[in-house]
Amino acid sequence: MATRDRRHVATGTHRRRQRRCRHLSVVGSVDRTDRGVRRRLPGQLDQLSPPAGVFPRSTDGGPGCQPRLTGPGDGDSWRPEGSGTGPGCQPQLTGAGRKISWRPEGLGTGPVCQSRCRGAPTAWTPAGSLGRTMNAPRFRIAPSPTGFFHVGGARTALYNWALAKRLGGTFVLRIEDTDAERNRPEWNQGIIDALAWIGIHADDPTFEGPYFQSSYAEQHVAEARRLFDTGAAYYCDMTPDDIQARAKAEGVTGYGGWSRDRGLGPAAGRVLRFRVPPGATVVRDLVRGDVTFDNATIEDFVLLRGNGSPMFLLANVVDDMSMRISHVIRAEEHLPNTPKQQMLWEALGHEPPVWAHVPLLVNEQRKKISKRRDKVALESYRDEGYLAEAMINYLMTLGWSPGEQEIQPWSAMQDTFALEDVAKSPAFFDLKKLAAFNGEYIRAMTPEQFVAAAEPWVAQWREAHPGHVWNQVWFLAMAPFVQQRATVLSEAPGVVDFLMLAEPQFDEPSLAKAWATDDAAEVLAETIAAFERCDWTRDAMKEAFDPIADAHGMKPGKAQAPIRVAITGRTVGPPLYEAMELLGRDETLRRLRSIPGSVHTG
RNA sequence: GCCCCCAUCGUCUAGUGGCCUAGGACACCACCCUUUCAAGGUGGCGGCACGGGUUCGAAUCCCGUUGGGGGUGCCA
């Protein structure tokens, strides 16, 4: 039986690979190259040839250029577990959370092939690509500095990172800062910091960059010239207004290749357009299979603006080429651009990269999440107290399934992530599920880890409450209770701050509830009397209180209301006797005696 | 308008022609536990968009319909 099962699994995996290959029509080369990459994996990572050299690491530039990553600076303080670094650095897992029960050492012990080879993306075919075949795969992300890091971009980064790490490849960060309106140097550091938060560290050997697209404008223009020289591109003097007017006059839409054969040379105000060749362009996509575009439906797009500056499409392709990017993994919104880029690669004499377009992240309206409508800044989640590990884990599951157990450490996901397994349909970015993941991770921390992780928010509390002393020993003692109640770290101080405040903060609804029963005053008085003489332990307090509740014909929980409000100011909170134990008999009795009356009871 | 992509519980997904009476997770509901609230436990609700094929057999393959999304800039 067992034997049969095992064989079954093996066959299943095999069949899946075959199917993918057939589907993508890259049968032979996939496996061969694939295996080659894998074989190189163990030992030779350090022998990877350095990048072309045309793109020296930008250390010269403005304030944003220097990655500031390693020191114990503020960037580090965001790592919840404090000492840990990098992906795979997980909470201790000794906590009570049942879902997080992996054995750290047990990872990766499975058959190497099964997890490894599935994920190996198609690499270069041996023929005709200038020795690039011999190199390990090179991935990249190309965010533009917008002042925040988009969660969708974070997921894309994670997918790229997982593959780069596992395949012994390189992860290139190129900041596309060519739009003058969206280019503030200080935003570049934000990108570095955001990536570091999700475990993608600029000082990791797998990481390369950041490069800045704006530094390579000359090269973009030079490549455009080449295109013009070979006839693959031509100049055009039509303005957008001209195009519109012409289209209207002739009852057509779009530009329509008006200047194609006019033999115009470069001049101020003239744009350089790519001459889209006849035929069809097949984009070979690892997620979507072959996507065919009829070139007749693609306009001759602009390469160089009237002022001579390069457009995105051109810059993007030239940079990817120069940086020898082998795999372009990005969001699906770029799929319609891809045939144009592929034509550019070919016109420039290079074999296009492997494409993979991952599904969009959408909101409840099923539209792609955007800054305008949705909370998309990774930083905002960090600031609210989502744990990096939880965010990483959740992001990975959007469009991909890590298997039976969806709560998984990064190291496991890194080992099994495969583009072939990425879903094609858009994924809803579900805050509730993110919160659930976060809760799991919070509960999996040791109290010490939790207290350390919550420090930034405790510090905020201190600032907001001058004159009050935050008792860290008490916080640690209460930590397990807080961990069960907080879904984000920012909520943590509020769970126990009644202990730290000189007076609880009462609110009227709570007071009303405290006095809601006829017996409230009596219960309170009897409790005070009992607490004056009982041992000051949680068990003793419980023993003292339960009979009082019983005598009044109430369940302890209900009878407790005035006590709880007197101590905490609220009707909900962590276990009471434990809190009172810390508070001490004197302060507890003081609070019990000084609970305000309610307007409802007079 | 044109081009492209997508379609399994409310949501994220498993599923690769028979192991499917469609599995898991989040959410929701009920109950248990209980010192409030949580956490935890047990159970429940709930889905293959529709119509045609192909096949002994279809969630799975093909075609169409419908629905959703993305792209269509001298933005990136």
Side-chain angles (χ1 to χ4, degrees):
Chain A
M1 189 60 175
T3 318
R4 217 169 92 230
D5 284 346
R6 211 173 306 131
R7 212 185 59 210
H8 192 78
V9 169
T11 338
T13 308
H14 182 62
R15 202 186 302 132
R16 170 186 276 196
R17 290 192 61 206
Q18 281 193 324
R19 182 178 165 277
R20 294 290 175 186
C21 292
R22 203 183 326 124
H23 181 49
L24 297 169
S25 327
V26 283
V27 194
S29 61
V30 175
D31 275 296
R32 222 180 311 131
T33 334
D34 180 88
R35 230 175 282 131
V37 170
R38 206 173 347 117
R39 209 181 305 123
R40 242 187 278 94
L41 250 177
Q44 303 181 19
L45 304 193
D46 43 341
Q47 294 174 18
L48 295 176
S49 48
V54 250
F55 289 92
R57 208 184 189 101
S58 281
T59 49
D60 50 289
C65 293
Q66 301 264 13
R68 181 198 62 202
L69 305 147
T70 41
D74 51 9
D76 266 6
S77 69
W78 287 107
R79 278 176 226 155
E81 69 288 21
S83 60
T85 54
C89 147
Q90 303 295 333
Q92 273 299 305
L93 314 175
T94 48
R98 288 183 77 255
K99 291 175 183 163
I100 303 185
S101 54
W102 59 72
R103 301 154 313 201
E105 75 287 357
L107 299 168
T109 52
V112 174
C113 178
Q114 189 171 337
S115 55
R116 306 266 139 120
C117 46
R118 280 198 312 152
T122 320
W124 300 97
T125 48
S129 50
L130 308 167
R132 284 182 301 187
T133 315
M134 290 294 107
N135 290 341
R138 292 172 60 81
F139 303 86
R140 52 78 151 175
I141 61 163
S144 44
T146 52
F148 66 95
F149 199 80
H150 196 284
V151 288
R155 186 196 54 172
T156 303
L158 253 10
Y159 284 178
N160 275 282
W161 185 247
L163 259 15
K165 290 294 277 184
R166 183 168 81 246
L167 301 175
T170 302
F171 174 99
V172 174
L173 169 62
R174 181 179 66 237
I175 295 177
E176 305 215 323
D177 57 348
T178 49
D179 182 356
E181 285 179 29
R182 299 196 236 168
N183 182 20
R184 299 250 298 275
E186 66 269 27
W187 288 346
N188 296 323
Q189 186 62 44
I191 292 174
I192 302 282
D193 291 344
L195 287 172
W197 186 60
I198 54 173
I200 301 175
H201 296 280
D203 57 359
D204 188 296
T206 300
F207 190 103
E208 191 180 300
Y211 299 125
F212 295 90
Q213 186 162 70
S214 57
S215 342
Y216 308 114
E218 277 179 30
Q219 193 171 345
H220 305 152
V221 173
E223 292 298 310
R225 266 305 136 56
R226 255 181 68 206
L227 255 12
F228 174 66
D229 291 344
T230 61
Y234 62 89
Y235 281 95
C236 171
D237 59 3
M238 288 182 78
T239 64
D241 284 346
D242 293 340
I243 292 170
Q244 208 170 26
R246 221 181 84 85
K248 198 172 178 184
E250 302 195 357
V252 296
T253 54
Y255 156 70
W258 174 245
S259 301
R260 274 198 150 204
D261 303 308
R262 291 169 61 210
L264 261 27
R270 291 183 184 170
V271 299
L272 184 70
R273 287 184 182 273
F274 184 74
R275 190 190 306 275
V276 175
T281 301
V282 178
V283 171
R284 184 152 292 174
D285 189 294
L286 244 29
V287 171
R288 281 151 214 288
D290 287 355
V291 184
T292 305
F293 296 83
D294 180 354
N295 290 4
T297 65
I298 301 173
E299 293 266 51
D300 287 351
F301 50 95
V302 174
L303 263 18
L304 255 28
R305 299 186 182 91
N307 66 8
S309 63
M311 289 280 292
F312 155 72
L313 234 35
L314 207 224
N316 189 268
V317 166
V318 170
D319 288 348
D320 280 346
M321 260 169 40
S322 307
M323 297 175 188
R324 299 175 15 261
I325 300 303
S326 61
H327 294 72
V328 173
I329 302 168
R330 64 217 319 189
E332 195 201 334
E333 56 191 313
H334 291 287
L335 185 54
N337 279 331
T338 310
K340 299 179 190 174
Q341 296 189 320
Q342 185 161 302
M343 286 187 275
L344 243 23
W345 277 78
E346 282 159 2
L348 256 10
H350 290 267
E351 193 175 334
V354 173
W355 309 104
H357 290 90
V358 303
L360 251 21
L361 262 31
V362 298
N363 60 22
E364 45 279 271
Q365 280 87 241
R366 314 266 349 146
K367 302 210 186 296
K368 72 172 178 179
I369 48 174
S370 75
K371 184 184 186 175
R372 284 200 57 178
R373 298 181 292 252
D374 312 292
K375 199 168 82 174
V376 296
L378 189 64
E379 295 90 336
S380 70
Y381 292 96
R382 180 191 64 190
D383 296 348
E384 255 185 72
Y386 285 90
L387 299 179
E389 287 77 7
M391 180 57 86
I392 291 167
N393 196 162
Y394 177 63
L395 248 18
M396 288 296 288
T397 67
L398 256 23
W400 176 72
S401 168
E404 275 298 297
Q405 178 55 269
E406 64 181 0
I407 301 276
Q408 279 197 19
W410 167 259
S411 56
M413 294 188 290
Q414 181 182 292
D415 280 348
T416 55
F417 175 76
L419 287 171
E420 291 86 338
D421 297 333
V422 171
K424 298 187 189 73
S425 37
F428 173 54
F429 188 79
D430 187 352
L431 273 327
K432 281 190 173 173
K433 189 148 184 179
L434 206 214
F437 270 51
N438 209 51
E440 295 288 351
Y441 277 86
I442 284 180
R443 274 170 256 128
M445 285 192 279
T446 64
E448 290 77 12
Q449 288 174 321
F450 174 73
V451 164
E455 179 51 32
W457 292 272
V458 169
Q460 280 177 19
W461 186 93
R462 287 198 189 95
E463 266 177 54
H465 299 83
H468 294 269
V469 179
W470 180 271
N471 187 323
Q472 194 72 354
V473 175
W474 288 4
F475 185 38
L476 182 61
M478 294 297 285
F481 305 123
V482 182
Q483 286 172 265
Q484 281 179 357
R485 285 162 182 77
T487 55
V488 291
L489 260 16
S490 57
E491 293 170 355
V495 178
V496 288
D497 70 343
F498 65 89
L499 288 169
M500 322 297 180
L501 293 164
E503 291 295 337
Q505 294 182 307
F506 300 99
D507 61 84
E508 188 50 42
S510 294
L511 283 173
K513 196 165 180 192
W515 299 111
T517 60
D518 294 340
D519 297 359
E522 282 177 42
V523 168
L524 189 58
E526 289 165 27
T527 304
I528 290 171
F531 282 5
E532 277 170 343
R533 61 184 67 92
C534 74
D535 282 349
W536 204 247
T537 66
R538 59 190 73 176
D539 293 342
M541 282 181 256
K542 180 173 168 52
E543 258 175 59
F545 184 80
D546 282 352
I548 296 174
D550 203 39
H552 289 268
M554 285 188 278
K555 290 221 167 189
K558 191 175 183 190
Q560 193 191 52
I563 317 299
R564 176 169 290 281
V565 174
I567 300 298
T568 72
R570 288 167 242 145
T571 56
V572 300
L576 245 201
Y577 305 128
E578 286 76 357
M580 294 192 295
E581 215 175 55
L582 295 174
L583 228 35
R585 192 195 303 268
D586 290 350
E587 174 64 9
T588 298
L589 291 173
R590 188 191 70 76
R591 290 191 181 192
L592 290 179
R593 288 181 181 122
S594 54
I595 177 175
S598 166
V599 291
H600 301 301
T601 56

